[in-house]
Amino acid sequence: MAQVNYFLTEEQQMIVELARKISREKIVPVRAELDEKEEFPWDIIKDLAQADLFGLYIPEAYGGLGAGCFEMCLALEELAYGCIAVTTTFAASALGGYPILLFGSEEQKARYLPDIASGRRLSAFGLTEANAGSDVAAIQTTAVEEGGSWVLNGTKQWITSGGEADIYTIIALTDRNKGARGATAFIVEKGDPGLGFGKKERKMGLRASSTRELIFNDCRIPKDRVLGKRGQGFIIAMRTLDLARPGIGAIGVGLAQAAFDEALKYAKERIQFGQSIMSFQAIQHMLADMVTQIEASRALVYAVARTIDAGAKDFAKLSAMAKLFPTDMAMKATTDAVQILGGYGYMKDYPVEKMMRDAKVLQIYEGTNQILRNVIGQAINKEYAIRGCGN
């Protein structure tokens, strides 16, 4: 039976097959154990590094493969099929690397990107604080220039790979009186004096990923660690999130596909009233909705990623859409998968229980889906103010 053809190139198909092989052979067999033990997946990180996947989005000049947002989405979707906690660790390193790629000086790129591309050092992104989640302009972490150094003070909260990563891109206030224009981006390295880490957070899902506070206590870093220009911090943060959000949508697609496959397999095997439950129209309708919404989400993510790679300038709305729709879909698909499995679906013996727990965070991190609706709403309001309705 025909499948949707996304006309992947030979190189793109190779990326899919490579990520799929790691997902099925390395991730799936250990995902339940990693989740139960809340264990950081260092062995799988090494496998991903050996496969050169950490360098997918990084130019060849810095040791990467020079691919784009689309290829990242292909890899993330396949890895997420296995476990989104592992995949989030992989994606978080790209989130920390994007600011250096987009706004770093030549010296900064040459210093940091080869290590990130090879997977020798993980990177992470530090924006969120206790009182600055959706309202990112409310951050309180400060950076003060003292002689030839910057001195950072404050705390970043819920940082993925906190304590495990070696390279952090941090947004801090350098001029409180300028509001959002008073924020600047910095590169902070593990081992810099004054950088500490909080306890590992215990979470409902995503338990194999590490989430910690970053604590800056008179953290002193060299003057040349500023990313971009002073006062450009929020622009860097927003551009970074815009580039990363289609990848979160791809993670939603991969997770939902895995949940659908488990539900379909069970529906064909489970016998009730003398026949498989797959023969019941109620189950068929649930599976039909799932597979249709998964394909629609995949098509949206791929189209937006390709638009970004084609050189689109302002893609905040499209990027928000590419995260919003697939992640809401993934939450529903995993919930429906648990429902189809019934009591078994609620047990840890079956993977859909973990998938449903994991799915929730996709609607929260890298911009809650409510904030993304704001982004989309403000964008369409601006568009129609310019061109008028119906034009």
Side-chain angles (χ1 to χ4, degrees):
M1 192 167 291
Q3 303 293 319
V4 177
N5 190 341
Y6 292 104
F7 300 100
L8 302 186
T9 64
E10 185 177 343
E11 289 76 14
Q12 290 164 347
Q13 191 59 46
M14 287 175 62
I15 290 169
V16 169
E17 291 171 3
L18 178 60
R20 182 175 295 168
K21 182 178 175 64
I22 293 174
S23 180
R24 306 312 195 267
E25 295 182 4
K26 302 291 185 179
I27 299 177
V28 170
V30 300
R31 63 186 177 191
E33 182 180 358
L34 292 174
D35 180 73
E36 185 67 26
K37 294 181 177 178
E38 301 186 61
E39 182 178 328
F40 193 79
W42 274 118
D43 287 344
I44 299 171
I45 295 302
K46 291 175 184 174
D47 291 330
L48 295 170
Q50 289 175 358
D52 294 329
L53 289 177
F54 279 104
L56 261 182
Y57 67 96
I58 293 176
E60 293 179 10
Y62 305 108
L65 299 179
C69 181
F70 181 54
E71 286 79 8
M72 273 296 287
C73 287
L74 293 175
L76 288 167
E77 179 185 338
E78 291 300 328
L79 296 175
Y81 188 95
C83 173
I84 75 164
V86 174
T87 310
T88 293
T89 299
F90 172 74
S93 194
L95 189 66
Y98 282 145
I100 300 173
L101 177 65
L102 295 174
F103 293 92
S105 65
E106 188 53 44
E107 291 74 17
Q108 290 169 335
K109 291 178 182 178
R111 178 173 180 180
Y112 293 107
L113 292 182
D115 278 354
I116 296 172
S118 68
R120 285 192 296 271
R121 304 170 82 190
L122 295 179
S123 56
F125 182 63
L127 174 62
T128 301
E129 298 181 5
N131 295 311
S134 295
D135 181 10
V136 295
I139 65 169
Q140 296 296 312
T141 297
T142 59
V144 177
E145 196 171 8
E146 286 187 6
S149 304
W150 285 95
V151 179
L152 278 68
N153 279 286
T155 302
K156 295 294 181 181
Q157 191 174 39
W158 299 329
I159 305 306
T160 301
S161 297
E164 309 292 346
D166 292 301
I167 302 164
Y168 297 87
T169 50
I170 302 298
I171 309 298
L173 289 177
T174 47
D175 189 339
R176 193 180 297 278
N177 295 324
K178 290 185 177 179
R181 295 182 178 177
T184 301
F186 298 90
I187 302 172
V188 179
E189 295 187 36
K190 189 177 184 178
D192 281 333
L195 172 62
F197 304 102
K199 65 177 176 60
K200 187 175 179 179
E201 301 287 354
R202 301 196 65 195
K203 308 188 291 288
M204 177 175 77
L206 226 62
R207 289 156 56 92
S209 77
S210 174
T211 306
R212 285 191 175 90
E213 287 181 334
L214 307 183
I215 302 167
F216 303 95
N217 185 11
D218 287 334
C219 175
R220 187 173 294 273
I221 61 174
K223 198 172 181 178
D224 63 3
R225 298 271 194 86
V226 172
L227 264 176
K229 298 177 182 177
R230 184 170 177 165
Q232 206 175 13
F234 279 107
I235 293 174
I236 292 174
M238 294 304 108
R239 287 281 303 278
T240 296
L241 292 171
D242 287 345
L243 185 56
R245 281 172 178 158
I248 305 303
I251 292 174
V253 172
L255 173 62
Q257 185 67 58
F260 169 80
D261 287 353
E262 291 291 339
L264 178 61
K265 176 184 173 187
Y266 180 86
K268 293 175 73 69
E269 295 174 349
R270 176 67 168 171
I271 304 297
Q272 292 289 275
F273 305 104
Q275 55 191 320
S276 79
I277 63 172
M278 183 65 192
S279 64
F280 301 145
Q281 193 175 55
I283 299 296
Q284 290 179 11
H285 284 188
M286 290 178 73
L287 291 167
D289 285 345
M290 289 169 73
V291 75
T292 302
Q293 291 163 8
I294 289 168
E295 203 61 65
S297 297
R298 181 178 288 119
L300 175 60
V301 169
Y302 287 8
V304 170
R306 281 174 156 154
T307 299
I308 292 171
D309 288 341
K313 297 300 181 185
D314 182 1
F315 49 83
K317 179 190 74 174
L318 297 179
S319 179
M321 292 163 62
K323 187 214 174 221
L324 169 66
F325 186 73
T327 55
D328 279 351
M329 178 279 298
M331 188 71 250
K332 185 176 187 309
T334 55
T335 303
D336 286 349
V338 169
Q339 188 69 24
I340 289 172
L341 268 71
Y344 291 110
Y346 200 65
M347 300 298 141
K348 285 181 176 287
D349 295 336
Y350 288 79
V352 292
E353 176 267 345
K354 173 184 178 302
M355 292 174 184
M356 193 180 85
R357 281 191 286 110
D358 285 349
K360 188 59 197 171
V361 77
L362 297 176
Q363 296 176 301
I364 298 172
Y365 67 14
E366 294 199 24
T368 67
N369 284 7
Q370 286 71 34
I371 287 295
L372 298 185
R373 286 179 169 87
N374 288 354
V375 171
I376 297 165
Q378 290 162 6
I380 59 177
N381 187 37
K382 183 179 177 182
E383 288 174 9
Y384 285 98
I386 294 172
R387 68 184 188 186
C389 294
N391 296 321

